[in-house]
């Protein structure tokens, strides 16, 4: 036997002895684990037995009852999807009405007409939104009446189903007049001027009575605001030729019939209607002229009746005096910014240099930096590197791609127009891009910088060219050789003219 064979036999014996030791150790470990498991099981048995004893000692618990309004998972059906689309359209109409002014009324009216009115229910809801907004803001009733006049003329041209067959009427006008009539007739039965004479003073009321009293007062104020808003809105619709003379004469007869027992409410309604439509009524018509003269004779008699409160008599006297002055009054209706500037200039010319309390008055128009023709110091800023794309800043949300195409199309061939929008709401971000086919056209288009578009002065500059990628070459970043260049951020979602 050689030395190699001896070492081989020794290794085999040593390996076998190690396996025997490990097997013995494994058996000991298994026995220890089994004993531990037995102890754990015994403790668990004791624990559950104790819990069971405690539960048996407790009184029985009433089982849970299902609520009537239990939540149930509802899958969206076609009806629910249609209702959701109608709600979105109503939200858009509310946003449009909140932004309505004399300058942008036509643009916003076109947006309501093109919003996608496909059935009578949607049209009825939209008319209700316009009506509620109009009577809630009576000082702007003429603005909402002109909006209704424009929709009444343009909507039947784009939605043929709105027209009523064999008549000159349409569904939009029908819904609008029905709402005015319901609110007008509701004033007879539910009057905001009716008070409970038996109410105790507030200081003597309990907390519950005070709460109930505040609720009644809030309802009364809401009713008063709607009633006083509906009367001038009816008059403004008559001025816009949506309401006929037959209807307005019926309103006058009804209000004068209520003057048999005059109260604050009926007198205020009548004075509001006279103040709104008095300038348009043609007194040369024989039948209408007789009624017209009789109304003012009765009003003159009521104004001299000292049994009436002073406020009611003064309101009647104001209308009589207003008729003598050919219905010329200062008026509190909406005005454009240009009209306000003209009034300021007229006041400066009239009162500048006059003496007040022994001193000469000096007046001048304050020039706000935000009202200048061009953005402040914009022309002094350096231009970006010339490119084919023009950046448009300070852009109005109401500006469309078609309008930009009409403006910039005179300076060259336009390749694309982009107005970025927000992903969540779809609202425009207030800037855009116009891409020309050459740099010269873009340079000529910069002459429009500072031009007013939809009430805002736009800022123009060259837009930087988009980076198409590549390894290195960036001025900032990529200092390490293994850093990848970042992809350019998207400039926004492109909106087509059909949107």
């Amino acid at each position: 036997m050689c030395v190699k064979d001896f070492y081989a036999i020794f290794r085999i014996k040593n390996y076998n002895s190690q396996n025997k030791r490990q097997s013995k150790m494994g058996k000991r470990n298994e026995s220890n684990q089994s004993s531990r498991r037995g102890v754990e099981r015994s403790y668990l048995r004791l624990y559950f037995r104790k819990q069971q004893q405690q539960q048996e000692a407790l009184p029985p618990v009433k089982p849970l009852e299902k609520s009537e309004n239990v939540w149930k998972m509802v899958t969206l059906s076609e009806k629910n999807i249609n209702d959701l689309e109608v709600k979105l359209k109503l939200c858009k109409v509310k946003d449009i009405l909140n932004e309505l002014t004399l300058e942008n009324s036509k643009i916003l009216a076109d947006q309501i007409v093109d919003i996608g009115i496909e059935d009578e229910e949607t049209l009825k809801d939209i008319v209700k939104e316009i009506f509620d907004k109009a009577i809630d803001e009576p000082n702007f009733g003429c603005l909402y009446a002109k909006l209704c006049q424009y929709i009444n003329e343009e909507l039947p041209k784009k939605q043929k189903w709105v027209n009523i067959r064999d008549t000159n009427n349409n569904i939009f006008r029908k819904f609008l007049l029905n709402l005015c009539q319901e609110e007008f007739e509701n004033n007879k039965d539910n009057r905001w001027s009716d008070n409970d004479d038996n109410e105790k003073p507030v200081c003597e009321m309990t907390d519950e009575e005070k709460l109930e009293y505040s609720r009644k007062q809030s309802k009364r104020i809401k009713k008063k605001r709607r009633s006083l808003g509906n009367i001038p809105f009816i008059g403004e619709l008559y001025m816009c030729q949506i309401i006929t003379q037959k209807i307005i004469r019926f309103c006058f007869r009804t209000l004068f019939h209520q003057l048999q027992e005059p109260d604050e409410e009926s007198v205020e309604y009548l004075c509001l209607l006279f103040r709104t439509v008095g300038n348009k009524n043609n007194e040369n018509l024989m039948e209408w002229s007789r009624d017209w003269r009789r109304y003012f004779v009765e009003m003159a008699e009521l104004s001299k009746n000292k049994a009436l409160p002073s406020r009611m008599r003064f309101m009647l006297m104001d209308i009589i005096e207003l008729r003598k002055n050919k219905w010329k009054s200062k008026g509190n209706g909406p005005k454009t910014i240009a009209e306000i500037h003209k009034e300021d200039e007229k006041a400066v010319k009239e009162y500048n240099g006059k003496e007040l309390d022994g001193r000469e008055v000096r007046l001048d128009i304050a020039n706000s930096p935000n009202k200048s023709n061009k953005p402040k110091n914009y022309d002094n800023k350096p231009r970006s590197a010339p490119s084919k794309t023009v950046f448009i800043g300070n852009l109005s949300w109401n500006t469309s791609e078609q309008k930009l195409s009409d403006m910039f199309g005179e300076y060259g061939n336009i390749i694309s127009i982009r107005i970025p929008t927000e992903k969540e709401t779809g609202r425009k971000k207030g800037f855009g891009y116009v891409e020309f086919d050459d740099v010269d056209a873009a340079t000529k288009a910069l002459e429009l910088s500072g031009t007013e578009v939809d009430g805002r002065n736009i800022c123009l500059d060259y837009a930087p060219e988009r980076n198409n990628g590549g390894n290195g070459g960036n001025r900032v970043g990529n200092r390490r050789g293994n850093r990848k260049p970042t992809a350019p951020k998207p400039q926004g979602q492109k909106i087509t003219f059909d949107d």
Side-chain angles (χ1 to χ4, degrees):
M1 180 182 295
C2 63
V3 178
K4 293 181 179 180
D5 296 337
F6 175 77
Y7 278 114
I9 293 170
F10 178 75
R11 289 193 193 98
I12 293 170
K13 288 181 178 181
N14 190 16
Y15 177 76
N16 293 333
S17 63
Q18 287 178 358
N19 287 339
K20 289 178 181 179
R21 290 194 197 99
Q22 290 177 358
S23 62
K24 290 178 181 180
M25 293 284 291
K27 290 178 181 179
R28 291 175 186 172
N29 291 333
E30 289 177 359
S31 62
N32 292 334
Q33 290 178 2
S34 62
S35 62
R36 288 173 188 163
R37 289 179 191 141
V39 173
E40 290 175 356
R41 290 193 190 107
S42 62
Y43 277 119
L44 287 174
R45 290 193 197 98
L46 291 173
Y47 174 76
F48 287 120
R49 193 177 300 166
K50 195 171 183 180
Q51 291 289 331
Q52 187 176 2
Q53 291 175 359
Q54 291 178 355
Q55 291 179 1
E56 290 175 356
L58 293 173
V61 180
K62 186 179 180 180
L64 295 174
E65 297 180 358
K66 288 186 177 181
S67 176
E68 295 180 356
N69 57 349
V70 62
W71 180 84
K72 295 180 181 179
M73 187 177 68
V74 181
T75 57
L76 287 176
S77 61
E78 293 184 0
K79 183 179 179 181
N80 294 333
I81 294 173
N82 293 333
D83 294 341
L84 184 61
E85 292 178 354
V86 172
K87 289 181 180 179
L88 291 175
K89 291 177 182 178
L90 292 178
C91 290
K92 290 181 180 179
V93 172
K94 288 181 180 179
D95 293 339
I96 291 171
L97 294 177
N98 290 332
E99 298 174 0
L100 188 65
T101 60
L102 285 176
E103 290 86 352
N104 62 4
S105 58
K106 186 178 181 301
I107 298 173
L108 298 181
D110 286 331
Q111 293 182 11
I112 295 178
V113 172
D114 298 334
I115 205 169
I117 305 172
E118 299 176 353
D119 52 21
E120 291 188 7
E121 290 297 326
T122 305
L123 179 60
K124 190 173 183 179
D125 293 338
I126 291 175
V127 173
K128 183 71 167 55
E129 290 293 336
I130 298 173
F131 176 75
D132 290 340
K133 187 73 173 176
I135 64 176
D136 192 54
E137 299 177 357
N139 291 334
F140 300 94
C142 63
L143 182 60
Y144 293 109
K146 291 178 181 178
L147 174 68
C148 294
Q149 181 185 20
Y150 185 83
I151 297 175
N152 183 50
E153 295 173 356
E154 296 298 326
L155 185 61
K157 298 177 183 178
K158 298 186 178 181
Q159 302 289 343
K160 301 298 183 182
W161 60 270
V162 176
N163 292 312
I164 300 176
R165 292 182 179 179
D166 301 331
T167 61
N168 295 327
N169 200 357
N170 60 67
I171 300 176
F172 173 82
R173 181 176 178 271
K174 176 184 174 183
F175 287 155
L176 182 62
L177 298 188
N178 286 342
L179 290 173
C180 294
Q181 182 179 0
E182 290 175 5
E183 190 68 31
F184 182 80
E185 293 176 351
N186 191 26
N187 295 338
K188 304 176 186 177
D189 304 328
N190 188 12
R191 302 175 69 81
W192 54 264
S193 59
D194 295 336
N195 294 323
D196 189 3
D197 298 333
N198 298 324
E199 285 184 351
K200 297 186 295 185
V202 179
C203 58
E204 298 178 3
M205 293 181 182
T206 62
D207 293 339
E208 295 180 356
E209 291 175 345
K210 289 180 181 178
L211 183 61
E212 185 65 24
Y213 177 74
S214 63
R215 289 174 181 172
K216 289 181 180 179
Q217 289 297 318
S218 62
K219 290 182 180 178
R220 177 177 174 273
I221 293 171
K222 184 178 180 180
K223 175 63 182 174
K224 180 179 179 181
R225 185 174 64 247
R226 288 183 63 88
S227 300
L228 294 179
N230 183 44
I231 296 297
F233 184 59
I234 291 175
E236 295 293 348
L237 291 177
Y238 171 67
M239 300 289 284
C240 293
Q241 299 180 354
I242 295 179
I243 287 180
T244 60
Q245 191 180 86
K246 180 180 178 181
I247 297 175
I248 205 69
R249 291 179 64 184
F250 168 78
C251 295
F252 273 111
R253 286 196 299 269
T254 304
L255 293 176
F256 264 97
H257 180 71
Q258 296 176 5
L259 286 182
Q260 295 177 359
E261 297 179 358
D263 58 356
E264 181 182 0
E265 186 172 351
S266 57
V267 172
E268 192 162 359
Y269 287 161
L270 185 64
C271 293
L272 282 174
L273 193 58
F274 268 115
R275 191 178 295 273
T276 307
V277 305
N279 191 25
K280 186 180 179 181
N281 286 326
N282 188 3
E283 300 187 20
N284 294 326
L285 296 174
M286 292 299 297
E287 186 179 358
W288 183 233
S289 178
R290 288 195 297 270
D291 294 340
W292 199 249
R293 286 194 294 268
R294 180 172 56 85
Y295 292 156
F296 279 95
V297 170
E298 294 179 6
M299 290 170 64
E301 293 177 356
L302 285 174
S303 63
K304 297 176 183 178
N305 186 1
K306 295 185 178 181
L308 297 177
S310 300
R311 183 173 181 272
M312 295 170 57
R313 291 189 288 113
F314 288 149
M315 283 192 293
L316 295 171
M317 292 168 65
D318 288 340
I319 298 300
I320 296 172
E321 186 177 355
L322 190 63
R323 184 197 179 197
K324 293 179 181 178
N325 295 332
K326 297 182 179 180
W327 305 101
K328 292 181 180 180
S329 63
K330 293 183 178 180
N332 296 321
K335 299 178 182 179
T336 61
I337 297 176
E339 291 175 351
I340 295 173
H341 290 333
K342 288 181 180 178
E343 291 180 358
D344 294 341
E345 293 174 358
K346 182 179 179 181
V348 169
K349 293 179 181 178
E350 184 176 356
Y351 297 104
N352 189 24
K354 288 191 175 183
E355 187 176 343
L356 179 64
D357 293 337
R359 303 189 66 179
E360 183 181 355
V361 178
R362 296 181 182 179
L363 300 178
D364 194 4
I365 298 176
N367 293 322
S368 175
N370 296 329
K371 302 298 181 182
S372 58
N373 293 329
K374 291 188 178 181
K376 184 178 179 180
N377 295 332
Y378 181 76
D379 292 335
N380 297 330
K381 293 183 179 180
R383 298 281 188 189
S384 301
S387 64
K388 299 178 183 179
T389 306
V390 174
F391 169 79
I392 310 171
N394 199 32
L395 197 62
S396 173
W397 291 334
N398 302 322
T399 305
S400 62
E401 291 187 353
Q402 181 62 46
K403 190 161 190 176
L404 294 180
S405 177
D406 297 338
M407 284 181 58
F408 290 91
E410 301 176 358
Y411 294 91
N413 186 20
I414 297 176
I415 297 177
S416 65
I417 298 176
R418 303 189 304 275
I419 301 179
T421 57
E422 296 178 359
K423 293 182 180 179
E424 293 80 5
T425 61
R427 197 172 192 176
K428 297 177 182 178
K429 293 184 176 180
F431 61 90
Y433 301 91
V434 177
E435 185 178 358
F436 293 92
D437 58 353
D438 57 357
V439 179
D440 294 337
T443 304
K444 294 178 182 178
L446 294 180
E447 298 175 357
L448 293 174
S449 181
T451 305
E452 185 176 348
V453 181
D454 292 335
R456 299 179 70 90
N457 298 318
I458 59 174
C459 308
L460 302 182
D461 193 5
Y462 295 108
E465 296 289 346
R466 292 187 176 185
N467 187 9
N468 295 325
N471 296 326
N474 295 334
R475 293 179 60 188
V476 182
N478 202 19
R479 295 178 181 175
R480 299 178 184 176
N482 56 355
R483 181 178 295 178
K484 296 181 179 180
T486 57
K489 294 183 179 180
Q491 299 296 330
Q493 182 181 1
K494 184 177 179 180
I495 304 175
T496 61
F497 293 155
D498 295 335
D499 295 340

